[in-house]
Amino acid sequence: MLVLERAADARARGARIRAHVSGYGASADAHHPSAPDPGGAGAERAIRAALADALIDPDEVAHVNAHGTSTPLNDVTEARVIRRVFGERPAVTSTKGAIGHLIGAAGAVEAAYTVLAVQHGTVPPTANLDSQDPEIAVDVVAKDARALAIGAAVSNSFGFGGHNAVLVVTGA
């Protein structure tokens, strides 16, 4: 279960803390209420805001759980934003392909997935990914789970009208 509460309160009641949400960023990048910016400026602002809120440098992030809408424009845009912010280094996965379009629940599922990856130090492969678009030039975990020391991870969730929400998750 994903529970958001102060760490001190959770410890006081004896809860097991799996990870911390260390930073949050949000923005909108729409030119129009139903059309996100194909350049991803808002998505980049949200990621950079979350990293700044967490006081974490992009080089410290080992895993990015991308929203992955499974559309050619949005996946390429998201990959380009990830590459601009993080370079080639982080392992990238996407939960969206496994859970479908849950809209409001997608962000919560993506955050829980990222917490479990941080906790277990294993990044599961991206479900249903048989081949990668050559325009997506990031390290997508595709076929096999990857053991990875994850001190910090990022979870993206993008919604209607180009709204972007990003969490930075760190180990407990």
Side-chain angles (χ1 to χ4, degrees), residues 48-153:
R48 291 190 187 280
L51 292 168
D53 186 43
L55 302 174
I56 289 180
D57 188 87
D59 290 340
E60 296 176 58
V61 174
H63 173 234
V64 174
N65 186 31
H67 188 66
T69 60
S70 300
T71 61
L73 174 60
N74 289 334
D75 285 354
V76 169
T77 300
E78 185 174 16
R80 287 178 179 160
V81 167
I82 290 168
R83 185 137 177 163
R84 282 196 306 262
V85 175
F86 300 103
E88 297 177 21
R89 191 192 34 70
V92 178
T93 58
S94 174
T95 312
K96 185 83 170 199
I99 63 170
H101 293 276
L102 294 177
I103 309 302
V109 172
E110 291 161 358
Y113 174 99
T114 305
V115 165
L116 290 171
V118 169
Q119 178 194 2
H120 294 287
T122 302
V123 181
T126 299
N128 306 321
L129 179 64
D130 295 321
S131 63
Q132 185 171 323
D133 184 325
E135 292 290 318
I136 298 177
V138 294
D139 179 20
V140 176
V141 179
K143 299 292 182 196
D144 298 307
R146 187 180 304 172
L148 192 63
I150 306 172

Side-chain angles (χ1 to χ4, degrees), residues 15-62:
R16 180 175 171 203
I17 300 173
R18 298 176 184 271
H20 296 280
V21 174
S22 300
Y24 170 75
S27 69
D29 63 1
H31 296 301
H32 180 274
S34 64
D37 173 17
E44 184 171 349
R45 279 193 311 277
I47 291 170
R48 291 190 187 280
L51 292 168
D53 186 43
L55 302 174
I56 289 180
D57 188 87
D59 290 340
E60 296 176 58
V61 174

